[in-house]
Amino acid sequence: MSSEELNTRTRILEATWKLLEQQPNKDVSMSAIARATGITRQAVYLHFASRTELMIATTEYVDEVKGLYQRMERIGAASSGIEMLEAYVDVWGNYIPEIYGIARALLRVKETDEAAAAAWFRCMDCLRDVSKQIIETLEQEDKLTNALSPPDAIDMLLVMLSIEQWELLTRDCGWSHQKYVNEMKKLLVQSFVS
Amino acid sequence: MSSEELNTRTRILEATWKLLEQQPNKDVSMSAIARATGITRQAVYLHFASRTELMIATTEYVDEVKGLYQRMERIGAASSGIEMLEAYVDVWGNYIPEIYGIARALLRVKETDEAAAAAWFRCMDCLRDVSKQIIETLEQEDKLTNALSPPDAIDMLLVMLSIEQWELLTRDCGWSHQKYVNEMKKLLVQSFVS
DNA sequence: TCTTCACTTGACATGGTGTCAAGTCTGGAT
DNA sequence: ATCCAGACTTGACACCATGTCAAGTGAAGA
């Protein structure tokens, strides 16, 4: 039964993803998604109960396809805190542009929808774990700055590498993606390593 | 003639401001603003051509009432780059919570409206000037980190003190307003001063 | 052949922005 | 005293979004 059903579902997810990548700052409508999928608007609701649910599902779909967690393994393999930090910036900094469209959409929807906020914070929690791992490694090596306590350093690292921050630097300040990665590495080492 | 007219206009601006402060993450509607002002929705359009225009006018109104530029004078009066940096965090960090509601609204509207984006970037340009002044002072004192070039440092300082960053730390990480100011001062000195 | 499931067609409710026309009410000028 | 202009109201309408419902179609499988 579900081969065909899954197919349509996946086609909706792909269309949503594609539209969001094309116009990350527009509110892509259910009609536009249906049109891009080649079905009616009502049919979308046969697969996703609401716009929010579709956005959450698309986020999960993209995460699955793009395999962030696999890429993150590089970080644990690094042999020092500084190397971990740099690997983090590399992996994450290269990941953001690939998921920016859907991430922006989820960020917008999160403001008014609890389920979306929960989904967003689930993602944030994963990133926080990575951040924590790095700060703790730096601390064990006695290389963590004493300007910040370890818990505060975890928060700060997370926020420094947030999508919002990336957006400000690349969109508003005109930094290239490569410049973001390079400068961010330098700044983070300067900020967190004593 | 305009005493009465100005009065209603100001009442609308005050109502808009108040509603946005109460619910910074909801899209306050024109009906809600009219209701809070005690006039009809249509009457609001007699004073402001569109929702965007009202948001921009409210931003300007709040800026005028709150007098950011006056407060900023403290920064120029500081006797060293580090003191300027700390004064900036003090002034700006205490300002953000007072204007957060309308700032958030303008940020939302900026995504889809060019006029709102222009208004936003006008504000950003003022802040950039302050950021530039501080980085240049640090550079003249030979105290600027060599991890970043001066122009990049200006961008980075601006982004570190962005409303988005403040929002992440105080809302998502649960930092108190005071903690934000204290930790940010320490981190910025660590990051930008060699 | 009959049923089930995915999808379509077409309608409707609700709530937002923005516009229009006609009416009311008040203060000020003649 | 009257008349007028300007501020505001009333009540409509267009348009577009999300979300819901009911009835119909069409094809694959039992």
Side-chain angles (χ1 to χ4, degrees):
Chain A
M1 56 181 175
S2 8
S3 130
E4 204 52 40
E5 196 243 321
L6 258 181
N7 232 335
T8 301
R9 195 189 137 95
T10 307
R11 274 167 51 219
I12 297 171
L13 291 171
E14 286 281 347
T16 306
W17 185 4
K18 193 179 154 196
L19 285 177
L20 286 171
E21 285 309 317
Q22 280 169 8
Q23 25 192 321
N25 295 309
K26 286 234 193 314
D27 270 329
V28 172
S29 72
M30 294 297 265
S31 322
I33 290 165
R35 210 178 311 126
T37 311
I39 57 176
T40 58
R41 188 173 68 88
Q42 288 78 348
V44 179
Y45 286 98
L46 296 176
H47 297 272
F48 305 95
S50 67
R51 195 174 177 282
T52 297
E53 198 171 285
L54 173 54
M55 292 302 154
I56 294 173
T58 306
T59 305
E60 284 161 2
Y61 177 71
V62 169
D63 260 353
E64 193 187 319
V65 170
K66 287 289 179 182
L68 175 61
Y69 304 113
Q70 204 179 332
R71 300 192 200 181
M72 286 287 193
E73 283 168 16
R74 262 187 56 198
I75 297 167
S79 59
S80 74
I82 294 178
E83 276 179 31
M84 285 173 80
L85 194 56
E86 290 180 339
Y88 188 18
V89 178
D90 262 332
V91 170
W92 179 238
N94 285 299
Y95 187 66
I96 296 178
E98 296 181 28
I99 51 106
Y100 175 60
I102 176 63
R104 199 83 213 61
L106 194 61
L107 263 171
R108 265 195 304 274
V109 119
K110 149 182 180 273
E111 298 301 324
T112 50
D113 188 291
E114 246 179 79
W120 180 261
F121 287 123
R122 272 198 300 280
C123 298
M124 284 302 105
D125 284 344
C126 297
L127 293 176
R128 175 174 293 274
D129 285 342
V130 180
S131 186
K132 187 178 175 195
Q133 202 187 331
I134 294 171
I135 295 296
E136 280 174 356
T137 305
L138 281 175
E139 201 194 355
Q140 279 157 24
E141 294 171 348
D142 214 27
K143 285 198 168 166
L144 183 64
T145 174
N146 40 25
L148 295 172
S149 73
D152 292 346
I154 294 169
D155 285 340
M156 198 59 97
L157 180 56
L158 192 65
V159 165
M160 294 279 289
L161 290 172
S162 64
I163 288 175
E164 291 91 336
Q165 180 101 276
W166 177 86
E167 197 176 27
L168 286 171
L169 286 169
T170 59
R171 204 180 54 173
D172 296 354
C173 298
W175 289 24
S176 72
H177 160 227
Q178 196 51 53
K179 178 170 183 176
Y180 169 87
V181 171
N182 293 338
E183 302 304 310
M184 194 53 91
K185 276 185 193 172
K186 285 193 281 181
L187 183 76
L188 290 181
V189 170
Q190 168 84 18
S191 303
F192 290 93
V193 179
S194 64
Chain B
M1 58 178 180
S2 10
S3 131
E4 202 53 39
E5 198 241 321
L6 260 180
N7 231 334
T8 301
R9 196 188 136 94
T10 307
R11 275 166 50 217
I12 296 171
L13 291 170
E14 285 281 348
T16 306
W17 184 4
K18 193 178 153 196
L19 284 177
L20 286 171
E21 284 310 316
Q22 281 168 9
Q23 25 192 320
N25 295 309
K26 285 235 193 312
D27 270 328
V28 172
S29 72
M30 294 298 264
S31 323
I33 289 165
R35 210 178 311 127
T37 311
I39 58 176
T40 59
R41 187 172 70 88
Q42 288 79 345
V44 178
Y45 285 98
L46 296 177
H47 296 271
F48 304 95
S50 68
R51 194 173 177 280
T52 296
E53 198 171 285
L54 173 54
M55 292 302 154
I56 294 172
T58 306
T59 305
E60 284 160 2
Y61 177 70
V62 169
D63 260 353
E64 194 187 318
V65 171
K66 287 289 180 181
L68 176 61
Y69 305 114
Q70 205 179 331
R71 299 192 200 181
M72 285 287 194
E73 284 168 16
R74 263 188 55 199
I75 297 168
S79 59
S80 74
I82 295 179
E83 274 179 33
M84 285 173 80
L85 194 56
E86 290 180 339
Y88 187 19
V89 178
D90 261 331
V91 170
W92 179 239
N94 284 299
Y95 188 66
I96 297 177
E98 295 180 29
I99 51 106
Y100 176 58
I102 176 63
R104 199 82 216 61
L106 195 61
L107 263 171
R108 264 195 305 273
V109 121
K110 149 183 180 271
E111 298 301 324
T112 50
D113 188 291
E114 246 180 77
W120 180 261
F121 287 124
R122 274 197 300 279
C123 297
M124 283 302 103
D125 283 344
C126 297
L127 292 176
R128 174 174 292 275
D129 285 342
V130 180
S131 187
K132 187 177 175 195
Q133 202 187 330
I134 295 171
I135 295 296
E136 280 174 355
T137 304
L138 280 175
E139 201 193 356
Q140 278 157 25
E141 295 171 348
D142 214 27
K143 285 198 168 167
L144 183 64
T145 174
N146 39 26
L148 294 173
S149 74
D152 292 346
I154 294 169
D155 285 340
M156 198 58 97
L157 179 55
L158 192 66
V159 165
M160 294 277 289
L161 289 172
S162 64
I163 288 176
E164 290 90 336
Q165 180 99 277
W166 177 86
E167 196 176 28
L168 286 170
L169 286 168
T170 59
R171 205 181 54 172
D172 297 354
C173 297
W175 289 26
S176 72
H177 159 228
Q178 197 51 54
K179 179 170 183 174
Y180 169 86
V181 170
N182 294 338
E183 302 303 310
M184 196 52 92
K185 276 186 194 172
K186 285 193 283 182
L187 184 76
L188 291 181
V189 170
Q190 168 84 19
S191 303
F192 291 92
V193 180
S194 63

